[in-house]
Amino acid sequence: MDKDFSDDYKVDEKFSMKKSDTEYKGKLEKSDGKKMLDEEKEKLHALQEKLYADGSKSLLIVLQAMDAAGKDSLIEHVFGGVNPQGCDVHSFKTPSSKEYGHDFLWRHYIALPEKGKIGIFNRSHYESVLVCKVHPEYNLAEKVWDSVDDFDDQFWENRYESIRNFEKHLAENGTTIIKIFLNVSQKEQKKRFLDRINETDKNWKFAAGDLTERLLWPEYMEVYEKAIKETSKDHAPWFVIPADDKWFARVAAIQIIINTLEKMDLKFPVLSDAAFKGLAAAKEHLEKE
């Protein structure tokens, strides 16, 4: 790679949403970014095959963003060349009645990638401290709490602690975690919403509720900053990527994913002496046919 952005956006103790750039694109042209993405997709494919062959570890990628930030298209463009047998994508919508019948982490736990696979959460367990914090009344559907007055500071601290413990448990049991926030500006979101309205083939992507949530932008920025700062750990880091240019967000994301896989010390299985002898015998048999 001519330029590696993978460490530029890792969250540290100084993280501030207001100071996080949404427009930066690494002094690259769009054509350069597309070329870099194509090159890196080949490397990602090889690493995913190695992860599958190793079979002792898994990778969980959590994607969060405001509406129209480009999560779906990032998954399509970054993972388009990956063997689908080794990659699972889960898009989490409003919980079902069955899911509300369990604790808030349950539906995410059962969707985790098995060893040897990459799992992608398009939205995730973080919705419980994001949209559910902006709209605390949503938590009442869990049927544990009596009123919104129950959702005090201690309630939210307990939620952050549950998430930290959940991710620590995963990390200690073979799952590497990276969390990516696609940081789109309110101005760019407006442009993308208008595109969805003006272009017939994109009309289905727009919902009236999107405007309602857009009015709550300051509240969402506040809860995102709090959640990210509370839960970014060495074993489960957050990366906040500029996303006003989708092509750049894809390049930065794939670099983060590749660097993470490279650090996982993946190995192809080594055959025993007996297995090698078996291969030699099989080769001899086939060549004689």
mmCIF file of all heavy atoms in Angstrom, residues 18-48:
data_model
loop_
_atom_site.group_PDB
_atom_site.id
_atom_site.type_symbol
_atom_site.label_atom_id
_atom_site.label_comp_id
_atom_site.label_asym_id
_atom_site.label_seq_id
_atom_site.Cartn_x
_atom_site.Cartn_y
_atom_site.Cartn_z
ATOM 1 N N LYS A 18 -16.680 15.885 17.970
ATOM 2 C CA LYS A 18 -16.623 17.186 17.305
ATOM 3 C C LYS A 18 -15.315 17.407 16.563
ATOM 4 O O LYS A 18 -15.268 18.107 15.550
ATOM 5 C CB LYS A 18 -16.827 18.304 18.328
ATOM 6 C CG LYS A 18 -18.244 18.399 18.870
ATOM 7 C CD LYS A 18 -18.383 19.565 19.836
ATOM 8 C CE LYS A 18 -19.805 19.680 20.359
ATOM 9 N NZ LYS A 18 -19.963 20.808 21.310
ATOM 10 N N LYS A 19 -14.245 16.803 17.069
ATOM 11 C CA LYS A 19 -12.935 16.994 16.448
ATOM 12 C C LYS A 19 -12.617 15.921 15.397
ATOM 13 O O LYS A 19 -11.546 15.953 14.790
ATOM 14 C CB LYS A 19 -11.852 16.990 17.526
ATOM 15 C CG LYS A 19 -11.951 18.169 18.489
ATOM 16 C CD LYS A 19 -10.852 18.127 19.535
ATOM 17 C CE LYS A 19 -10.962 19.297 20.506
ATOM 18 N NZ LYS A 19 -9.901 19.240 21.560
ATOM 19 N N SER A 20 -13.526 14.987 15.191
ATOM 20 C CA SER A 20 -13.293 13.906 14.231
ATOM 21 C C SER A 20 -13.698 14.348 12.835
ATOM 22 O O SER A 20 -14.841 14.764 12.604
ATOM 23 C CB SER A 20 -14.090 12.665 14.639
ATOM 24 O OG SER A 20 -13.652 12.189 15.888
ATOM 25 N N ASP A 21 -12.767 14.263 11.914
ATOM 26 C CA ASP A 21 -12.979 14.712 10.539
ATOM 27 C C ASP A 21 -13.909 13.757 9.795
ATOM 28 O O ASP A 21 -13.809 12.541 9.941
ATOM 29 C CB ASP A 21 -11.628 14.794 9.827
ATOM 30 C CG ASP A 21 -11.677 15.623 8.564
ATOM 31 O OD1 ASP A 21 -12.783 15.984 8.131
ATOM 32 O OD2 ASP A 21 -10.607 15.903 7.998
ATOM 33 N N THR A 22 -14.804 14.312 9.002
ATOM 34 C CA THR A 22 -15.678 13.484 8.167
ATOM 35 C C THR A 22 -15.275 13.536 6.692
ATOM 36 O O THR A 22 -15.707 12.707 5.895
ATOM 37 C CB THR A 22 -17.146 13.951 8.264
ATOM 38 O OG1 THR A 22 -17.247 15.285 7.734
ATOM 39 C CG2 THR A 22 -17.626 13.935 9.708
ATOM 40 N N GLU A 23 -14.431 14.513 6.317
ATOM 41 C CA GLU A 23 -14.131 14.766 4.907
ATOM 42 C C GLU A 23 -12.767 14.282 4.450
ATOM 43 O O GLU A 23 -12.500 14.196 3.253
ATOM 44 C CB GLU A 23 -14.229 16.267 4.614
ATOM 45 C CG GLU A 23 -15.616 16.849 4.843
ATOM 46 C CD GLU A 23 -15.670 18.328 4.531
ATOM 47 O OE1 GLU A 23 -14.596 18.974 4.586
ATOM 48 O OE2 GLU A 23 -16.761 18.839 4.232
ATOM 49 N N TYR A 24 -11.874 13.986 5.381
ATOM 50 C CA TYR A 24 -10.499 13.630 5.012
ATOM 51 C C TYR A 24 -10.484 12.428 4.075
ATOM 52 O O TYR A 24 -11.228 11.459 4.268
ATOM 53 C CB TYR A 24 -9.694 13.309 6.269
ATOM 54 C CG TYR A 24 -8.239 12.987 5.999
ATOM 55 C CD1 TYR A 24 -7.346 13.977 5.622
ATOM 56 C CD2 TYR A 24 -7.767 11.682 6.104
ATOM 57 C CE1 TYR A 24 -6.017 13.693 5.374
ATOM 58 C CE2 TYR A 24 -6.437 11.376 5.855
ATOM 59 C CZ TYR A 24 -5.563 12.381 5.493
ATOM 60 O OH TYR A 24 -4.243 12.091 5.245
ATOM 61 N N LYS A 25 -9.624 12.479 3.068
ATOM 62 C CA LYS A 25 -9.505 11.360 2.137
ATOM 63 C C LYS A 25 -8.052 11.074 1.775
ATOM 64 O O LYS A 25 -7.747 10.592 0.679
ATOM 65 C CB LYS A 25 -10.350 11.591 0.893
ATOM 66 C CG LYS A 25 -10.157 12.946 0.220
ATOM 67 C CD LYS A 25 -11.201 13.146 -0.871
ATOM 68 C CE LYS A 25 -11.086 14.535 -1.486
ATOM 69 N NZ LYS A 25 -12.134 14.772 -2.509
ATOM 70 N N GLY A 26 -7.169 11.373 2.697
ATOM 71 C CA GLY A 26 -5.783 10.947 2.554
ATOM 72 C C GLY A 26 -5.026 11.528 1.392
ATOM 73 O O GLY A 26 -4.068 10.925 0.903
ATOM 74 N N LYS A 27 -5.445 12.676 0.882
ATOM 75 C CA LYS A 27 -4.785 13.298 -0.267
ATOM 76 C C LYS A 27 -4.765 12.376 -1.475
ATOM 77 O O LYS A 27 -3.868 12.424 -2.313
ATOM 78 C CB LYS A 27 -3.353 13.737 0.092
ATOM 79 C CG LYS A 27 -3.297 14.769 1.210
ATOM 80 C CD LYS A 27 -1.873 15.176 1.533
ATOM 81 C CE LYS A 27 -1.839 16.184 2.679
ATOM 82 N NZ LYS A 27 -0.466 16.581 3.034
ATOM 83 N N LEU A 28 -5.779 11.519 -1.558
ATOM 84 C CA LEU A 28 -5.904 10.584 -2.666
ATOM 85 C C LEU A 28 -6.986 11.054 -3.630
ATOM 86 O O LEU A 28 -7.920 11.742 -3.234
ATOM 87 C CB LEU A 28 -6.285 9.190 -2.156
ATOM 88 C CG LEU A 28 -5.306 8.447 -1.266
ATOM 89 C CD1 LEU A 28 -5.959 7.151 -0.776
ATOM 90 C CD2 LEU A 28 -4.015 8.133 -2.003
ATOM 91 N N GLU A 29 -6.862 10.636 -4.871
ATOM 92 C CA GLU A 29 -7.940 10.806 -5.830
ATOM 93 C C GLU A 29 -8.828 9.572 -5.781
ATOM 94 O O GLU A 29 -8.394 8.494 -5.364
ATOM 95 C CB GLU A 29 -7.376 11.003 -7.241
ATOM 96 C CG GLU A 29 -6.532 12.253 -7.405
ATOM 97 C CD GLU A 29 -7.334 13.529 -7.180
ATOM 98 O OE1 GLU A 29 -8.547 13.531 -7.505
ATOM 99 O OE2 GLU A 29 -6.746 14.511 -6.676
ATOM 100 N N LYS A 30 -10.063 9.731 -6.223
ATOM 101 C CA LYS A 30 -11.000 8.617 -6.180
ATOM 102 C C LYS A 30 -10.480 7.424 -6.975
ATOM 103 O O LYS A 30 -10.631 6.265 -6.555
ATOM 104 C CB LYS A 30 -12.359 9.056 -6.728
ATOM 105 C CG LYS A 30 -13.454 8.028 -6.561
ATOM 106 C CD LYS A 30 -14.794 8.614 -6.988
ATOM 107 C CE LYS A 30 -15.932 7.614 -6.780
ATOM 108 N NZ LYS A 30 -17.257 8.194 -7.159
ATOM 109 N N SER A 31 -9.835 7.684 -8.102
ATOM 110 C CA SER A 31 -9.296 6.601 -8.932
ATOM 111 C C SER A 31 -8.205 5.834 -8.189
ATOM 112 O O SER A 31 -8.105 4.604 -8.301
ATOM 113 C CB SER A 31 -8.746 7.155 -10.250
ATOM 114 O OG SER A 31 -7.736 8.126 -10.005
ATOM 115 N N ASP A 32 -7.377 6.554 -7.422
ATOM 116 C CA ASP A 32 -6.345 5.899 -6.619
ATOM 117 C C ASP A 32 -6.985 5.009 -5.558
ATOM 118 O O ASP A 32 -6.533 3.891 -5.313
ATOM 119 C CB ASP A 32 -5.458 6.945 -5.924
ATOM 120 C CG ASP A 32 -4.720 7.834 -6.903
ATOM 121 O OD1 ASP A 32 -4.348 7.329 -7.978
ATOM 122 O OD2 ASP A 32 -4.528 9.024 -6.596
ATOM 123 N N GLY A 33 -8.040 5.521 -4.933
ATOM 124 C CA GLY A 33 -8.713 4.749 -3.897
ATOM 125 C C GLY A 33 -9.319 3.470 -4.437
ATOM 126 O O GLY A 33 -9.236 2.415 -3.804
ATOM 127 N N LYS A 34 -9.928 3.551 -5.609
ATOM 128 C CA LYS A 34 -10.536 2.355 -6.206
ATOM 129 C C LYS A 34 -9.472 1.318 -6.545
ATOM 130 O O LYS A 34 -9.670 0.109 -6.356
ATOM 131 C CB LYS A 34 -11.319 2.735 -7.467
ATOM 132 C CG LYS A 34 -12.628 3.461 -7.177
ATOM 133 C CD LYS A 34 -13.435 3.666 -8.446
ATOM 134 C CE LYS A 34 -14.816 4.228 -8.133
ATOM 135 N NZ LYS A 34 -15.642 4.396 -9.363
ATOM 136 N N LYS A 35 -8.331 1.782 -7.027
ATOM 137 C CA LYS A 35 -7.231 0.871 -7.343
ATOM 138 C C LYS A 35 -6.713 0.205 -6.078
ATOM 139 O O LYS A 35 -6.471 -1.005 -6.041
ATOM 140 C CB LYS A 35 -6.103 1.632 -8.041
ATOM 141 C CG LYS A 35 -4.919 0.754 -8.437
ATOM 142 C CD LYS A 35 -3.844 1.569 -9.137
ATOM 143 C CE LYS A 35 -2.653 0.688 -9.491
ATOM 144 N NZ LYS A 35 -1.574 1.482 -10.137
ATOM 145 N N MET A 36 -6.543 0.990 -5.019
ATOM 146 C CA MET A 36 -6.081 0.448 -3.744
ATOM 147 C C MET A 36 -7.064 -0.584 -3.207
ATOM 148 O O MET A 36 -6.668 -1.644 -2.706
ATOM 149 C CB MET A 36 -5.893 1.567 -2.722
ATOM 150 C CG MET A 36 -4.706 2.474 -3.007
ATOM 151 S SD MET A 36 -4.628 3.888 -1.861
ATOM 152 C CE MET A 36 -4.226 3.048 -0.334
ATOM 153 N N LEU A 37 -8.355 -0.292 -3.322
ATOM 154 C CA LEU A 37 -9.368 -1.215 -2.819
ATOM 155 C C LEU A 37 -9.307 -2.552 -3.557
ATOM 156 O O LEU A 37 -9.370 -3.618 -2.931
ATOM 157 C CB LEU A 37 -10.758 -0.597 -2.970
ATOM 158 C CG LEU A 37 -11.927 -1.436 -2.426
ATOM 159 C CD1 LEU A 37 -11.789 -1.644 -0.921
ATOM 160 C CD2 LEU A 37 -13.263 -0.773 -2.752
ATOM 161 N N ASP A 38 -9.172 -2.504 -4.873
ATOM 162 C CA ASP A 38 -9.085 -3.739 -5.656
ATOM 163 C C ASP A 38 -7.873 -4.570 -5.243
ATOM 164 O O ASP A 38 -7.950 -5.799 -5.121
ATOM 165 C CB ASP A 38 -9.008 -3.425 -7.150
ATOM 166 C CG ASP A 38 -10.334 -2.914 -7.706
ATOM 167 O OD1 ASP A 38 -11.381 -3.185 -7.075
ATOM 168 O OD2 ASP A 38 -10.324 -2.252 -8.757
ATOM 169 N N GLU A 39 -6.747 -3.887 -5.022
ATOM 170 C CA GLU A 39 -5.536 -4.600 -4.610
ATOM 171 C C GLU A 39 -5.692 -5.230 -3.230
ATOM 172 O O GLU A 39 -5.279 -6.365 -2.985
ATOM 173 C CB GLU A 39 -4.349 -3.633 -4.623
ATOM 174 C CG GLU A 39 -3.960 -3.164 -6.016
ATOM 175 C CD GLU A 39 -2.934 -2.055 -5.986
ATOM 176 O OE1 GLU A 39 -2.636 -1.540 -4.872
ATOM 177 O OE2 GLU A 39 -2.419 -1.684 -7.060
ATOM 178 N N GLU A 40 -6.310 -4.488 -2.323
ATOM 179 C CA GLU A 40 -6.470 -4.979 -0.960
ATOM 180 C C GLU A 40 -7.513 -6.089 -0.852
ATOM 181 O O GLU A 40 -7.429 -6.951 0.028
ATOM 182 C CB GLU A 40 -6.834 -3.826 -0.027
ATOM 183 C CG GLU A 40 -5.732 -2.781 0.113
ATOM 184 C CD GLU A 40 -4.401 -3.406 0.450
ATOM 185 O OE1 GLU A 40 -4.256 -3.945 1.545
ATOM 186 O OE2 GLU A 40 -3.504 -3.369 -0.417
ATOM 187 N N LYS A 41 -8.492 -6.096 -1.764
ATOM 188 C CA LYS A 41 -9.501 -7.155 -1.751
ATOM 189 C C LYS A 41 -8.866 -8.512 -2.028
ATOM 190 O O LYS A 41 -9.298 -9.535 -1.468
ATOM 191 C CB LYS A 41 -10.596 -6.855 -2.767
ATOM 192 C CG LYS A 41 -11.569 -5.783 -2.294
ATOM 193 C CD LYS A 41 -12.508 -5.341 -3.392
ATOM 194 C CE LYS A 41 -13.533 -6.393 -3.733
ATOM 195 N NZ LYS A 41 -14.539 -5.880 -4.689
ATOM 196 N N GLU A 42 -7.848 -8.552 -2.861
ATOM 197 C CA GLU A 42 -7.142 -9.808 -3.129
ATOM 198 C C GLU A 42 -6.437 -10.291 -1.861
ATOM 199 O O GLU A 42 -6.442 -11.482 -1.546
ATOM 200 C CB GLU A 42 -6.133 -9.612 -4.266
ATOM 201 C CG GLU A 42 -6.775 -9.311 -5.611
ATOM 202 C CD GLU A 42 -5.746 -9.159 -6.718
ATOM 203 O OE1 GLU A 42 -4.562 -9.522 -6.490
ATOM 204 O OE2 GLU A 42 -6.109 -8.692 -7.807
ATOM 205 N N LYS A 43 -5.846 -9.369 -1.124
ATOM 206 C CA LYS A 43 -5.158 -9.729 0.115
ATOM 207 C C LYS A 43 -6.165 -10.205 1.162
ATOM 208 O O LYS A 43 -5.909 -11.169 1.891
ATOM 209 C CB LYS A 43 -4.366 -8.529 0.637
ATOM 210 C CG LYS A 43 -3.443 -8.860 1.810
ATOM 211 C CD LYS A 43 -2.696 -7.622 2.290
ATOM 212 C CE LYS A 43 -1.752 -7.094 1.248
ATOM 213 N NZ LYS A 43 -0.953 -5.935 1.768
ATOM 214 N N LEU A 44 -7.310 -9.525 1.231
ATOM 215 C CA LEU A 44 -8.344 -9.925 2.188
ATOM 216 C C LEU A 44 -8.857 -11.324 1.881
ATOM 217 O O LEU A 44 -9.072 -12.133 2.796
ATOM 218 C CB LEU A 44 -9.501 -8.925 2.158
ATOM 219 C CG LEU A 44 -10.688 -9.230 3.075
ATOM 220 C CD1 LEU A 44 -10.247 -9.316 4.536
ATOM 221 C CD2 LEU A 44 -11.786 -8.179 2.905
ATOM 222 N N HIS A 45 -9.029 -11.618 0.617
ATOM 223 C CA HIS A 45 -9.496 -12.955 0.217
ATOM 224 C C HIS A 45 -8.513 -14.024 0.703
ATOM 225 O O HIS A 45 -8.930 -15.057 1.257
ATOM 226 C CB HIS A 45 -9.634 -13.032 -1.302
ATOM 227 C CG HIS A 45 -9.999 -14.395 -1.809
ATOM 228 N ND1 HIS A 45 -11.294 -14.865 -1.815
ATOM 229 C CD2 HIS A 45 -9.228 -15.396 -2.310
ATOM 230 C CE1 HIS A 45 -11.306 -16.096 -2.293
ATOM 231 N NE2 HIS A 45 -10.072 -16.438 -2.607
ATOM 232 N N ALA A 46 -7.216 -13.783 0.512
ATOM 233 C CA ALA A 46 -6.201 -14.755 0.932
ATOM 234 C C ALA A 46 -6.183 -14.924 2.458
ATOM 235 O O ALA A 46 -6.060 -16.041 2.970
ATOM 236 C CB ALA A 46 -4.828 -14.317 0.427
ATOM 237 N N LEU A 47 -6.330 -13.815 3.177
ATOM 238 C CA LEU A 47 -6.326 -13.885 4.641
ATOM 239 C C LEU A 47 -7.575 -14.585 5.168
ATOM 240 O O LEU A 47 -7.530 -15.319 6.160
ATOM 241 C CB LEU A 47 -6.224 -12.482 5.229
ATOM 242 C CG LEU A 47 -4.834 -11.848 5.159
ATOM 243 C CD1 LEU A 47 -4.914 -10.357 5.435
ATOM 244 C CD2 LEU A 47 -3.881 -12.520 6.155
ATOM 245 N N GLN A 48 -8.716 -14.366 4.506
ATOM 246 C CA GLN A 48 -9.940 -15.044 4.932
ATOM 247 C C GLN A 48 -9.816 -16.547 4.731
ATOM 248 O O GLN A 48 -10.269 -17.340 5.567
ATOM 249 C CB GLN A 48 -11.132 -14.484 4.153
ATOM 250 C CG GLN A 48 -12.473 -15.060 4.552
ATOM 251 C CD GLN A 48 -12.874 -16.236 3.684
ATOM 252 O OE1 GLN A 48 -12.629 -16.266 2.484
ATOM 253 N NE2 GLN A 48 -13.510 -17.223 4.295
#
